Amino acid sequence: TVSICVGQSSQLTASGGGAYAWSNSLGSNATVTVNPTTTTTYTVTVTSGAGCSATASRVVTVNPLPNASITPATASICDGSSTTLTASGGGTYSWSGGLGSSASVTVSPSATTTYTVTVTSGAGCTATASRVVTVNPLPTASITPATASICDGSSTTLTASGGGTYSWSHSLGTNANVTVSPSSTTTYTVTVTSG
């Protein structure tokens, strides 16, 4: 029995006679190349110089390619963060970029990067899958005024910028502008999230 993967070919060589006649319209050469899409039996009729003939058969088993895939379906991270990519569909895995042979890898690229995994089935057939990990820049968070000085009992307005949403310390809420009237020197922090 000969075993190949979908898309591959194999050579079959007949011997024992002077003339050869292959099934499947493969001709009369002693060696033929076959590339079946499904498991197929090939038969050759071998004829000696004296006109006697015999037949021989060979099964060519066609193994399917693995269904290589990577999850998540889309991957988007912020600069400095990481994400885990998980391959499936085979018995063994080999990631590009020297990431190893585990099914799951954790990556933290500094720029948008494409990761590729080669998946190998138990029959030795391979397929690849790729995933783009998009790296989004961090927002430029700022508060104006840069420094604020007030008299006891007074207030000032702090304005955050650089993102789509804001979250202030001291339970001040999520508006870009907040008015504060601390009774002592206080540091206020805002977390800025991009859109």
Side-chain angles (χ1 to χ4, degrees):
T1 300
V2 176
S3 183
I4 63 172
C5 300
V6 169
Q8 293 181 333
S9 61
S10 179
Q11 282 192 336
L12 302 177
T13 300
S15 62
Y20 306 94
W22 289 89
S23 62
N24 305 73
S25 302
L26 291 176
S28 58
N29 292 327
T31 299
V32 294
T33 300
V34 297
N35 54 353
T37 56
T38 60
T39 297
T40 304
T41 300
Y42 295 93
T43 301
V44 63
T45 300
V46 179
T47 304
S48 67
C52 299
S53 63
T55 60
S57 296
R58 177 70 71 234
V59 175
V60 177
T61 301
V62 179
N63 296 297
L65 300 180
N67 185 18
S69 64
I70 299 173
T71 55
T74 59
S76 182
I77 63 172
C78 295
D79 189 17
S81 297
S82 63
T83 188
T84 298
L85 303 176
T86 301
S88 61
T92 62
Y93 306 93
S94 177
W95 290 88
S96 62
L99 292 175
S101 58
S102 296
S104 295
V105 295
T106 299
V107 296
S108 52
S110 58
T112 297
T113 303
T114 300
Y115 294 94
T116 301
V117 65
T118 299
V119 178
T120 305
S121 69
C125 299
T126 61
T128 60
S130 295
R131 179 68 64 241
V132 175
V133 176
T134 302
V135 179
N136 299 299
L138 298 178
T140 303
S142 64
I143 300 174
T144 55
T147 59
S149 180
I150 62 171
C151 296
D152 190 20
S154 299
S155 63
T156 188
T157 298
L158 304 176
T159 301
S161 62
T165 61
Y166 306 93
S167 177
W168 289 89
S169 63
H170 299 87
S171 301
L172 292 176
T174 58
N175 292 326
N177 300 313
V178 295
T179 300
V180 295
S181 52
S183 58
S184 62
T185 300
T186 304
T187 300
Y188 294 94
T189 302
V190 65
T191 299
V192 179
T193 304
S194 63

